[in-house]
Amino acid sequence: MSIKVFVTDDFEHMSKTAAKIVKKNIIKTLETKKDAVLGLATGNSPTGLYKHLAMAANIGEFDCSRIRSFNLDEYVGLPGENAQQRLLHPESYCYFIIQEFFSLLKHKFIETSVPYGSLIDQKKMVKELETHPGDWQEFGVNAGRSVVIKPDAASEYLAWIRNEVLYGYEKKISAAGGIDLQIIGVGGRGHVAFHESGIPFEKSRVMLVKLDDNTVANAVTDGHFSSKNDSPLYATSMGAELVYEAKTVVLLANGERKAGPVAESLIGDPTPDVPISYGQAYSKNGGNLVYVIDKVAAKGLLSNMEILKHKGVTIEVL
């Protein structure tokens, strides 16, 4: 197993360092391929990286017209009368990536894609789940639950979600040749995208996830939505199994809240309780895993250097 960890001073240092790694990877990929395929995360962690990556693109350091991108996740059930309104809602992850990255680029990517969560009518889906309990199963033991729709679902709507919304997104990624470089953050419980703690690794390709009640309540408390009725109750998301099929995965983490899950992801054995720990299996199977974290998020790793060295984890303090 070979995992590289770069420890930086602060958020800005982390962002610049990660941007250099991603830029170098894009340039190298474009030397051997017609186009490069990026996997993009939302959240605060990658915003600085996107700013520096856009600056590099805008001065011609790499060619945007040879890049495709796929986002990790998207809400189901955002306010809106149709898919277009939901997609462009200020809290949608589509809106986020436009504001934080795509709008900064002078030249656009060949194609950008987000999971098809906005296509789902949440009220209709919930009604179908209630009236067809034999069509699906829930998996997970802690927070969010993965809702797995069966191949022989009697509900046409649930079958459409399974085949077109979930598998359709996975199929589009596959048709693009897979993801060359995937950018991810890490949640407070060690989750990646909406692959929540406790959801199994196996068959976590593109998932329909029922959000934890606390996640919904916090979204209202934090002012993202006016009430639970306006808040999404579900999301579509790449799972860890699909995330860690990219040729390279770059994980970003900063701040005290991330120190625990970052340490757990590399010191202990892979466990669904810490979904990003699946990166150990990914690296063992030949994947290129890079952590770029600030010194606060690195505290748990820096105090366990001998364990990490034995596991083949290389740490470089910049």
Side-chain angles (χ1 to χ4, degrees):
M1 182 171 70
S2 177
I3 298 172
K4 296 179 182 178
V5 179
F6 296 101
V7 180
T8 62
D9 293 332
D10 51 28
F11 179 83
E12 180 63 13
H13 190 198
M14 177 191 77
S15 300
K16 286 183 177 180
T17 301
K20 289 179 181 177
I21 291 170
V22 173
K23 180 185 69 175
K24 183 178 179 180
N25 184 281
I26 291 171
I27 293 169
K28 185 176 180 180
T29 299
L30 292 177
E31 290 175 353
T32 58
K33 288 182 61 188
K34 181 180 178 181
D35 53 56
V37 182
L38 298 181
L40 303 178
T42 53
N44 292 328
S45 297
T47 54
L49 179 157
Y50 293 148
K51 179 184 71 175
H52 290 292
L53 202 59
M55 291 170 60
N58 291 342
I59 61 174
E61 294 191 22
F62 61 88
D63 186 358
C64 285
S65 70
R66 296 176 62 193
I67 295 176
R68 301 178 189 276
S69 70
F70 292 90
N71 269 43
L72 278 173
D73 47 6
E74 182 57 280
Y75 280 124
V76 172
L78 285 163
E81 297 178 1
N82 53 51
Q84 289 81 7
Q85 289 183 6
R86 293 190 288 268
L87 198 64
L88 295 177
H89 188 279
E91 294 296 336
S92 81
Y93 291 168
C94 174
Y95 186 89
F96 172 95
I97 203 68
I98 291 171
Q99 292 295 106
E100 297 293 339
F101 190 21
F102 299 153
S103 66
L104 306 180
L105 296 169
K106 291 180 180 178
H107 305 286
K108 305 309 178 187
F109 291 172
I110 306 168
E111 185 180 26
T112 60
S113 300
V114 298
Y116 308 146
S118 63
L119 297 178
I120 299 173
D121 182 322
Q122 181 176 262
K123 290 182 180 178
K124 183 175 182 179
M125 182 186 74
V126 170
K127 184 177 180 180
E128 292 295 299
L129 291 171
E130 290 173 348
T131 56
H132 295 84
D135 281 0
W136 55 279
Q137 290 179 282
E138 273 189 7
F139 292 91
V141 297
N142 292 327
R145 302 292 182 95
S146 173
V147 179
V148 178
I149 300 168
K150 297 178 180 179
D152 59 349
S155 165
E156 290 184 5
Y157 196 68
L158 295 182
W160 170 77
I161 291 173
R162 180 187 187 278
N163 297 325
E164 302 300 326
V165 175
L166 304 178
Y167 180 62
Y169 195 64
E170 179 187 349
K171 189 163 60 173
K172 189 171 185 180
I173 293 171
S174 179
I179 293 173
D180 293 304
L181 184 143
Q182 176 70 61
I183 298 163
I184 62 173
V186 50
R189 290 178 289 224
H191 58 275
V192 54
F194 280 111
H195 187 140
E196 298 277 10
S197 174
I199 295 176
F201 296 137
E202 295 76 16
K203 299 182 181 179
S204 61
R205 310 294 293 170
V206 179
M207 304 186 298
L208 174 65
V209 178
K210 183 179 181 182
L211 303 181
D212 178 48
D213 288 341
N214 287 334
T215 299
V216 176
N218 289 339
V220 175
T221 301
D222 293 343
H224 296 295
F225 303 98
S226 58
S227 68
K228 182 178 179 179
N229 289 335
D230 290 328
S231 177
L233 304 179
Y234 293 82
T236 53
S237 177
M238 289 191 211
E241 187 179 46
L242 182 55
V243 166
Y244 287 106
E245 283 186 0
K247 296 178 181 69
T248 295
V249 175
V250 176
L251 181 147
L252 305 179
N254 64 292
E256 185 71 37
R257 192 168 68 91
K258 307 298 176 69
V262 164
E264 291 170 10
S265 73
L266 296 181
I267 293 171
D269 294 328
T271 169
D273 292 337
V274 185
I276 60 167
S277 67
Y278 194 64
Q280 292 186 51
Y282 163 77
S283 174
K284 189 175 182 179
N285 291 327
N288 180 30
L289 180 58
V290 181
Y291 279 40
V292 186
I293 58 181
D294 75 354
K295 59 188 177 184
V296 178
K299 286 195 299 184
L301 297 182
L302 294 174
S303 61
N304 287 278
M305 296 284 280
E306 285 302 314
I307 294 175
L308 295 172
K309 183 179 179 180
H310 180 72
K311 297 184 76 169
V313 178
T314 302
I315 297 183
E316 183 176 345
V317 180
L318 302 179

